[in-house]
Amino acid sequence: MLYAEPIARLIGEFSRLPGIGPKTAQRLALHVVRMPREQAQSLAEALVAVKDRIIHCSICGNITENDPCRICTDPGRDPAILCVVEEPKDLVAMEKTREFRGHYHVLGGAISPMEGIGPDDLRLKELLPRLASGEVKEVVLATGPDVEGEATALYAARLIKPLGIRVTRIAHGLPVGGDLDYVDEVTLARALEGRREI
Amino acid sequence: MSLYSAEALVLRARPLGEADVVVTLLTREEGKVEAVARGARRGRSRLLAATQPFTESRVMIWRGRNMDSLSQAEVVHSFRGLQQELTRLACASYTAELLDHFLGEREPHPALYELWRETLHYLSRAEGRTPLLKGVHVFELRLMRILGYEPEISRCAACGGELGATLRFSLGLGGALCPQCFSRDPGASPVSAGTLALLQRLADTAWDRLHVVELGPWAPEVQRLLWAFIAFRREGTLKTREFMELVCGAPEEGVNNK
């Protein structure tokens, strides 16, 4: 072994993280060696705190410290509109827009028949009881604009529509500040399809 | 390293790292090829649309030592109809997995490329579960034919003689058996003449004439037989089949299979 056991172990742990190869893991581990003790302590505590204190909201499925989460208990939000997203990071992206003031439902992934991820592997079964009270008037399907996201949106729409609730899908379109010339044909065709009057 | 161009259909795409995608392509020129599409998950990437499953593109690929990488891609056909209906999407996913399942890397099969392209064209426009199911069975039969596994359904698979009125189907011998040859495979299961006739029609009818073929009461048996045949030829479970059954429903018996 070229490195002392604690360093080798740290390199091993780092290289298990997504996107971290052996070289990067080694660089990070050696950086930790040079770190002040307090900083390393703080990093270790932060890691453990995430595992100890973060749970899934029993209502929307978002990651949270308190159950129900901040969004589900916020009286200022509109309970009549529910936005369905794949992952907590998508919820954060929606929140950054500051345009959406309704509630969320996090599925925890998307249907991917090729990978063997079916509807039962997602939090779709938790969605229907939330709609049963009649309080929700519109469900916005904000799953990704890829094949898995479309499959998930179509499946969710199939479940929700019989309940008589309005189901909408977020628009597909052009990136702000982009150049039409550089946009692919499929996106442009969809943007054209979703055009609106100004 | 060298650069080559190809016509490609995307069999599958899986994320790699932060923003990359590994695409499995069915190319006309090189057969099944895996390539990395760098940055293809970033919103503005030119490769984004071209790396979506089922998309047909003209691509430029760098031949790498370990893995190829996608350099340029231009969408030729996106088969958008597939993404408008869950049933179409489920059937197309099944055909993709079947191809991926049966094909080794870099075995060029221009006929298979053409078959899948036609299948996607058909599926992206098909309305209702029966036309979709017909398309899937046509694909299955022609895939078997191109790969040399075509079931013998017009004569006895064992002796080559005429088939009688009482029939059995042998997975091991690869086709129908006449009564004299039943003993050659005791495991052969009974099959109706109508099912064999339907298989023959599905195998031979052009895509644009498929609407005249009626599945009729033989649909469930055709499906069971084809699936057993495919499973016998290549082991392993097909994950997409379960999803296809879930969204398309189990085969209906009787008259509603027009």
Side-chain angles (χ1 to χ4, degrees):
Chain A
M1 196 183 284
L2 296 171
Y3 283 109
E5 195 275 333
I7 301 179
R9 182 173 159 209
L10 188 58
I11 293 174
E13 292 296 331
F14 276 135
S15 59
R16 282 157 64 170
L17 298 175
I20 308 282
K23 258 307 198 227
T24 311
Q26 180 179 305
R27 206 176 72 235
L28 290 174
L30 292 176
H31 181 78
V32 172
V33 172
R34 284 193 300 271
M35 249 180 206
R37 195 179 186 288
E38 308 76 66
Q39 209 180 330
Q41 181 83 34
S42 163
L43 174 67
E45 280 168 8
L47 285 172
V48 176
V50 162
K51 289 314 293 176
D52 285 349
R53 307 217 314 253
I54 294 300
I55 48 171
H56 287 271
C57 172
S58 58
I59 299 174
C60 71
N62 189 21
I63 44 177
T64 173
E65 202 175 346
N66 304 308
D67 185 23
C69 72
R70 191 176 43 79
I71 295 173
C72 289
T73 50
D74 184 348
R77 300 190 78 110
D78 183 1
I81 176 162
L82 187 75
C83 178
V84 176
V85 294
E86 291 177 19
E87 300 283 356
K89 65 179 167 55
D90 303 325
L91 183 154
V92 172
M94 289 294 287
E95 279 297 281
K96 276 190 197 157
T97 66
R98 296 171 193 267
E99 290 284 324
F100 184 73
R101 296 298 298 161
H103 286 197
Y104 289 96
H105 190 84
V106 183
L107 294 174
I111 293 175
S112 175
M114 295 279 279
E115 304 301 328
I117 302 170
D120 291 344
D121 301 311
L122 309 177
R123 294 185 68 260
L124 274 163
K125 47 194 175 302
E126 287 89 341
L127 177 61
L128 294 182
R130 292 188 70 183
L131 305 176
S133 70
E135 200 177 15
V136 177
K137 303 289 179 229
E138 179 182 351
V139 175
V140 183
L141 298 172
T143 51
D146 52 6
V147 172
E148 290 80 12
E150 291 299 339
T152 313
L154 289 170
Y155 190 84
R158 198 194 244 205
L159 292 181
I160 303 163
K161 275 195 171 160
L163 305 175
I165 295 170
R166 182 169 183 237
V167 183
T168 53
R169 177 88 173 103
I170 51 165
H172 300 84
L174 305 172
V176 175
D179 194 333
L180 276 196
D181 190 30
Y182 278 99
V183 174
D184 65 87
E185 305 73 357
V186 186
T187 307
L188 200 52
R190 291 209 179 175
L192 196 60
E193 199 180 71
R195 70 187 183 277
R196 58 193 175 87
E197 215 166 306
I198 54 168
Chain B
M1 292 228 296
S2 64
L3 195 64
Y4 63 96
S5 69
E7 283 176 67
L9 287 157
V10 181
L11 277 168
R12 62 195 303 172
R14 56 171 209 274
L16 176 77
E18 195 86 334
D20 304 342
V21 174
V22 178
V23 278
T24 309
L25 302 171
L26 178 67
T27 65
R28 193 193 290 274
E29 294 80 0
E30 302 263 335
K32 190 169 95 172
V33 172
E34 270 204 344
V36 185
R38 302 218 179 272
R41 265 152 69 217
R42 292 207 179 94
R44 294 191 187 187
S45 170
R46 282 288 289 171
L47 299 177
L48 187 66
T51 51
Q52 293 299 306
F54 320 122
T55 305
E56 185 180 31
S57 308
R58 219 166 270 124
V59 295
M60 297 287 280
I61 302 176
W62 280 108
R63 206 185 295 273
R65 226 175 318 164
N66 298 320
M67 202 185 261
D68 291 3
S69 78
L70 199 60
S71 148
Q72 288 174 40
E74 192 189 347
V75 176
V76 177
H77 208 300
S78 65
F79 300 107
R80 279 180 60 211
L82 294 175
Q83 296 194 21
Q84 288 161 354
E85 287 278 343
L86 192 59
T87 45
R88 292 177 186 164
L89 204 54
C91 292
S93 300
Y94 170 68
T95 60
E97 192 181 19
L98 206 54
L99 271 173
D100 195 24
H101 194 61
F102 271 98
L103 287 183
E105 283 204 32
R106 296 202 190 272
E107 296 168 3
H109 276 295
L112 272 186
Y113 182 88
E114 210 46 52
L115 169 66
W116 199 38
R117 210 168 66 94
E118 286 173 343
T119 306
L120 293 176
H121 255 292
Y122 175 87
L123 293 178
S124 67
R125 293 173 193 163
E127 300 279 353
R129 73 173 284 281
T130 304
L132 281 169
L133 210 56
K134 263 193 256 183
V136 166
H137 291 332
V138 168
F139 174 80
E140 290 168 325
L141 280 163
R142 293 182 192 169
L143 173 72
M144 294 295 121
R145 178 182 286 177
I146 294 169
L147 294 175
Y149 298 135
E150 187 179 13
E152 180 58 78
I153 43 186
S154 57
R155 54 185 64 244
C156 175
C159 69
E162 293 278 312
L163 292 168
T166 320
L167 297 162
R168 284 192 187 167
F169 192 91
S170 162
L171 295 175
L173 295 167
L177 298 180
C178 67
Q180 287 76 37
C181 295
F182 283 178
S183 59
R184 302 275 292 270
D185 180 3
S189 50
V191 63
S192 68
T195 292
L196 293 187
L198 178 56
L199 283 171
Q200 191 74 63
R201 287 198 75 191
L202 287 170
D204 295 339
T205 307
W207 287 105
D208 57 351
R209 299 286 304 152
L210 212 52
H211 58 276
V212 300
V213 179
E214 283 183 30
L215 293 182
W218 300 286
E221 192 174 38
V222 161
Q223 184 165 330
R224 273 197 301 273
L225 193 143
L226 273 172
W227 288 5
F229 192 75
I230 288 166
F232 186 83
R233 293 290 146 199
R234 185 60 61 102
E235 277 182 23
T237 47
L238 292 162
K239 298 169 189 158
T240 50
R241 189 179 283 169
E242 197 183 321
F243 184 66
M244 184 167 71
E245 282 183 290
L246 175 75
V247 301
C248 298
E252 300 157 33
E253 306 271 347
V255 290
N256 295 325
N257 288 310
K258 201 175 169 190

